[in-house]
Amino acid sequence: MFRALTSRQLDPLLKERTGLDEEDRRQRRGIAAVLPFRVNDHVINELIDWDRVPDDPIFQLTFPQPGMLAAPDLARMTGLLRDGAPEQHLRAAANEIRSRLNPHPANQTDLNEPVFQGRRLRGLQHKYRETVLLFPRQGQTCHAYCTYCFRWPQFVGEPDLRIATDDMDSVVAYLRAHPQVTNVLITGGDPLVMSAEVLRRQLEPLLRIPSIEAIRIGTKALAYWPHRFTGDPDADDLLRLFEQVTAAGRHLAVMAHFSHPRELAPRVTRQAISRILATGAVIRCQAPVIRGVNDDAAVWAELWRETTRLGMIPYYLFIERDTGPQHYFGVPLARAYEIYRDAFAQVPGLARTARGPVASASPGKICIDGIVELAGERVFALRYLQARDPALVGRPFFARFDPDALWVTDLKPAFGAVELTPA
């Protein structure tokens, strides 16, 4: 049975499983008061190598790390805990820190939320012409939280930060009014925390819209709770729902987040993968490159080889987005390109379907195609894989080489150009 462990269980869990001293554990509690923490028994017992803590990659991926907050903010939160501050003081300090962590990167709420019939559709995002993102209210949590997650505002209990809807009538009306939308990505959070019956209420209306050709489900469940597809009470119902979608002639893609090869090792995970593939759905695998977790070409090469062997499709290697603890987990763009290039060179052709490194920025998905010398200048060669303005897709452009740049906003246009956009 699924059992979530949250910040209330963090200190006892660390005390039982690690040799971390009291001050170290207090710092991690201070982080968890600001950025969300949630794990479960599968993560604890099957994925983390406790003998390697605190350096274990899955521990880095799921447990608060002291560097995730700037030193003054960490000292502030740790001091409040040490002094036994009231809960409301902790909450006020946490909210003030969160407000400085860019909770909605790439202007996603201002630019992506559509206005329809005179009102803003809060739980819908329409950034790219063919694709709409749907955030079901019941799916805005996860079986466990990634420490790097750019969706962290969904999980901190602040309604003003949360993106969610339970108004499927408006969603359907919007999609019918915009037949250019052919793809719907159901995301969160994690839609597969919902029961099969609740997920059915999101999927079946989409099957009645002729223009919808593909449905994607963004999930970390295969890594963090593969029992969702094998042993949960409604696991069989969930898989029958997948079969219903594919039988209706729709492409169903499970967009699985695998950050490290160890997440593929448990036998139950492999069983879950086989059961999903048997429904006619495909599984596409994606994750960002994260410092201390997978910032190694050999790790990515192993991940891509194994996902391919198991019948899944490597899809994206992302750049850590400019929100939350990016300063701690982020890898410079130049280093991310080297990791991608070196991993790509180690795998056979079937595993070379992964695109990257890709930054999901405000104008669109920007891919770093290379670092080259042109006209006497060292530059990043860039290209939009997807864009808010479809005319930009596929057109190359260039930025000055900067070995320390963490995000596209750190880049400057090359060759004397005024703006960092395709010519």
Side-chain angles (χ1 to χ4, degrees), residues 87-373:
E87 181 65 29
Q88 61 266 32
H89 291 181
L90 281 168
R91 190 180 306 114
N95 286 341
E96 192 278 325
I97 294 169
R98 289 170 187 151
S99 70
R100 292 187 272 107
L101 295 178
N102 191 23
H104 288 308
N107 300 313
Q108 61 181 355
T109 52
D110 293 335
L111 296 180
N112 299 350
E113 287 180 355
V115 175
F116 183 61
Q117 296 179 342
R119 66 186 183 92
R120 186 177 288 271
L121 301 184
R122 175 68 175 168
L124 216 60
Q125 292 197 4
H126 191 180
K127 180 177 181 179
Y128 305 131
R129 179 179 56 196
E130 303 89 355
T131 305
V132 156
L133 275 60
L134 170 61
F135 296 76
R137 178 181 57 80
Q138 302 94 327
Q140 301 314 307
T141 185
C142 297
H143 293 99
Y145 295 149
C146 296
T147 41
Y148 69 78
C149 184
F150 86 98
R151 296 278 191 213
W152 63 266
Q154 298 290 91
F155 314 135
V156 295
E158 294 299 322
D160 290 344
L161 295 180
R162 206 168 191 233
I163 304 169
T165 184
D166 55 7
D167 184 4
M168 279 301 293
D169 289 342
S170 293
V171 170
V172 168
Y174 180 82
L175 293 173
R176 288 190 180 277
H178 294 80
Q180 73 272 25
V181 176
T182 59
N183 282 240
V184 174
L185 168 59
I186 304 176
T187 187
D190 191 323
L192 296 185
V193 301
M194 299 188 292
S195 70
E197 185 54 39
V198 173
L199 181 60
R200 183 184 301 278
R201 297 203 292 267
Q202 324 297 319
L203 293 180
E204 285 187 338
L206 301 179
L207 300 181
R208 294 192 285 270
I209 303 174
S211 55
I212 301 303
E213 301 169 356
I215 296 172
R216 311 180 204 177
I217 299 175
T219 182
K220 187 79 177 176
L222 270 169
Y224 283 168
W225 190 249
H227 307 275
R228 183 70 193 91
F229 310 96
T230 62
D232 274 9
D234 65 343
D236 290 346
D237 292 338
L238 177 63
L239 295 170
R240 281 192 289 268
L241 179 57
F242 286 5
E243 290 174 342
Q244 179 182 342
V245 174
T246 59
R250 302 313 200 274
H251 179 88
L252 177 60
V254 175
M255 312 303 291
H257 290 245
F258 287 111
S259 306
H260 192 275
R262 195 184 302 161
E263 295 171 322
L264 296 166
R267 184 168 177 266
V268 64
T269 303
R270 295 164 185 249
Q271 291 174 335
I273 291 166
S274 294
R275 298 197 83 197
I276 292 171
L277 294 176
T279 68
V282 300
I283 305 173
R284 300 180 187 270
C285 303
Q286 58 191 25
V289 57
I290 299 297
R291 187 170 68 87
V293 175
N294 57 21
D295 53 335
D296 184 323
V299 169
W300 280 95
E302 181 183 353
L303 183 63
W304 291 340
R305 281 195 303 268
E306 189 64 5
T307 53
T308 302
R309 190 182 72 80
L310 293 171
M312 300 181 286
I313 303 169
Y315 191 54
Y316 276 129
L317 181 154
F318 282 116
I319 300 294
E320 167 68 343
R321 296 186 72 165
D322 54 336
T323 182
Q326 183 208 29
H327 64 279
Y328 179 78
F329 288 114
V331 174
L333 301 179
R335 175 64 184 142
Y337 171 71
E338 291 173 355
I339 291 169
Y340 173 82
R341 180 198 61 199
D342 293 347
F344 196 81
Q346 296 179 44
V347 299
L350 287 176
R352 290 183 177 178
T353 52
R355 295 176 288 182
V358 173
S360 290
S362 181
K365 287 186 172 71
I366 299 174
C367 183
I368 303 174
D369 280 337
I371 299 170
V372 295
E373 294 278 349

